[in-house]
Amino acid sequence: MRLPTAQWRALIQNGQVDVAWGGGPTVFDSLYKDGLLLPLEGPEVKAALAQIPKTIAGMPMMRTGPDGKVYWVAWTVSSFGITINTKVLKQLGLPEPKTWADLASFEYGKGVIKGFPITALANLPASTSITRIAQIILQAYGWEEGWRIVTLTAANGRIFDGSERVRDSVIAGEIGAGWTIDFFGYTAQLQNPDTKYVIPPDTSVNGDPIAVVKNTKCRDAAEAFVAWAITEGERIVFDPKINRMPANPNAFNTPEGRQRPDLKTIYDYMLTLKTIDFNDTLAVAMDNVVMYYFQAAITDNSDVLQQTWSKLLKAYFDGKIDKATAEALAKRLGEPVTFTDPETGQPVKLTPEYAMKINDKLRRDAAFRDRIQAVWREAARKKYLEVAGQIP
């Protein structure tokens, strides 16, 4: 049964479950620190653990305690990347993206000038995976540069009401490149051979854990299930309805695994990839601000943002402004707004410190959220129009 992670602790403490399976490593590390996971010690599960790499893309695939014992192990690997339509990019004469920043480039703006939206992402409050990508970019590039990349990626394309629409637009050839979680990319590759899932080096990869929990009434059976899940059970990830990346490389030697050379290519690439050290605690401390600022400043103003960006691109490529001027205006277009705080009446810039200060209130107080979103919306629109006025 799939239950919200907030309910896990009570169930574990009451001895109502034997295995935790599903959440990300942050959840499992929290359970481990609270003493709610048991070490995987039986001979069968130890033999299975030996098949799992200790790290993939520089990230741990198991949690080993100071006692040398393993408390959780990854059964699948998740990544966040870019799903591209190679046919669309070739038709427009654009290179395949290698980093998140490529989607926010002047080069990708050439599609905008031709009347073709190149990039796609979802409105952040409508998608946890797209919100995670925005957080990855903010941590990989820093707050100011991160928001420039996020903003101009939106300016170079379209904002959809869900991540599924991003995936589907790439598959259909309506978009050249879109932010997606990995299994959306794998699905696209199955449905359209012109699509490809790209993992930028400036992204985050994590193992999705499975573990035996404290107070289990059948520890041996629970460990046997974990052993099965990370060996024989890995076969189920290749089902097109599941479409996940196994943590165990031996899964590719099964009949099901041999049918997925697309995933094997990505798996081999991830073994050599070094991603960012993503700080989940920091992300959680400002997640509401990131979501609702994006909605107010970017989604709700997408018309003015994209019109201004198009004007800037045309002025640059027509030679009316030089590269330094164009880059300065692009930076201004993407930087977080300075606005009047609705509670203090004082001017303030949206910084990480301010974001963490108001993050919980945005979640608890709907009236405050509405007020500050209105302020952000107005300040962003004013900024975009000011930039437009500086373009010849």
Side-chain angles (χ1 to χ4, degrees), residues 141-154:
Y141 292 87
W143 185 256
E144 293 279 335
E145 177 64 5
W147 275 115
R148 186 194 70 82
I149 291 170
V150 170
T151 304
L152 297 187
T153 297

Side-chain angles (χ1 to χ4, degrees), residues 27-254:
V27 173
F28 278 75
D29 280 340
S30 178
L31 295 175
Y32 162 67
K33 290 175 183 175
D34 290 346
L36 297 178
L37 303 183
L38 295 178
L40 301 169
E41 297 186 295
E44 183 181 3
V45 76
K46 279 189 173 181
L49 290 173
Q51 299 183 34
I52 308 297
K54 286 188 168 31
T55 64
I56 293 179
M59 299 303 289
M61 291 297 111
M62 55 187 72
R63 176 61 60 223
T64 303
D67 55 6
K69 298 177 181 179
V70 175
Y71 286 80
W72 64 250
V73 59
W75 81 288
T76 58
V77 186
S78 292
S79 67
F80 299 86
I82 305 165
T83 300
I84 65 173
N85 189 305
T86 58
K87 185 177 180 180
V88 169
L89 295 180
K90 286 177 182 177
Q91 287 174 342
L92 293 168
L94 296 175
E96 294 183 6
K98 293 182 173 60
T99 68
W100 301 113
D102 289 341
L103 302 188
S105 65
F106 283 91
E107 181 76 8
Y108 266 52
K110 291 177 180 178
V112 175
I113 293 176
K114 295 177 182 179
F116 193 98
I118 295 297
T119 61
L121 63 166
N123 186 30
L124 266 55
S127 171
T128 55
S129 61
I130 300 298
T131 297
R132 174 52 65 99
I133 291 174
Q135 293 271 24
I136 288 169
I137 292 171
L138 293 174
Q139 290 194 23
Y141 292 87
W143 185 256
E144 293 279 335
E145 177 64 5
W147 275 115
R148 186 194 70 82
I149 291 170
V150 170
T151 304
L152 297 187
T153 297
N156 264 335
R158 296 176 61 184
I159 303 170
F160 290 105
D161 58 3
S163 53
E164 292 87 354
R165 286 286 290 117
V166 175
R167 174 200 60 202
D168 293 345
S169 69
V170 178
I171 294 172
E174 299 168 358
I175 293 292
W179 291 359
T180 66
I181 194 169
D182 57 356
F183 57 86
F184 276 8
Y186 308 150
T187 297
Q189 291 178 157
L190 287 177
Q191 295 186 15
N192 184 346
D194 290 325
T195 63
K196 179 179 176 182
Y197 178 65
V198 177
I199 305 176
D202 47 357
T203 190
S204 176
V205 170
N206 61 254
D208 290 325
I210 184 170
V212 175
V213 301
K214 181 182 178 181
N215 297 330
T216 174
K217 297 179 176 64
C218 46
R219 184 172 182 176
D220 289 346
E223 286 194 344
F225 180 79
V226 171
W228 173 86
I230 62 176
T231 53
E232 291 300 312
E234 292 277 27
R235 295 182 180 207
I236 67 175
V237 303
F238 299 118
D239 186 317
K241 295 178 182 178
I242 298 176
N243 234 1
R244 299 293 302 274
M245 180 67 73
N248 190 337
N250 293 326
F252 291 103
N253 297 326
T254 64

Side-chain angles (χ1 to χ4, degrees), residues 288-339:
N288 294 303
V289 171
V290 171
M291 283 192 299
Y292 292 114
Y293 174 74
F294 180 95
Q295 181 180 48
I298 299 174
T299 302
D300 294 347
N301 286 313
S302 59
D303 55 344
V304 179
L305 169 63
Q306 291 169 353
Q307 289 165 13
T308 301
W309 178 236
S310 180
K311 184 179 180 181
L312 174 55
L313 290 167
K314 289 176 181 176
Y316 173 61
F317 286 117
D318 288 345
K320 294 180 180 179
I321 56 176
D322 59 22
K323 185 177 181 180
T325 301
E327 289 178 344
L329 290 171
K331 181 178 180 180
R332 171 65 178 146
L333 200 61
E335 71 181 10
V337 297
T338 296
F339 58 97

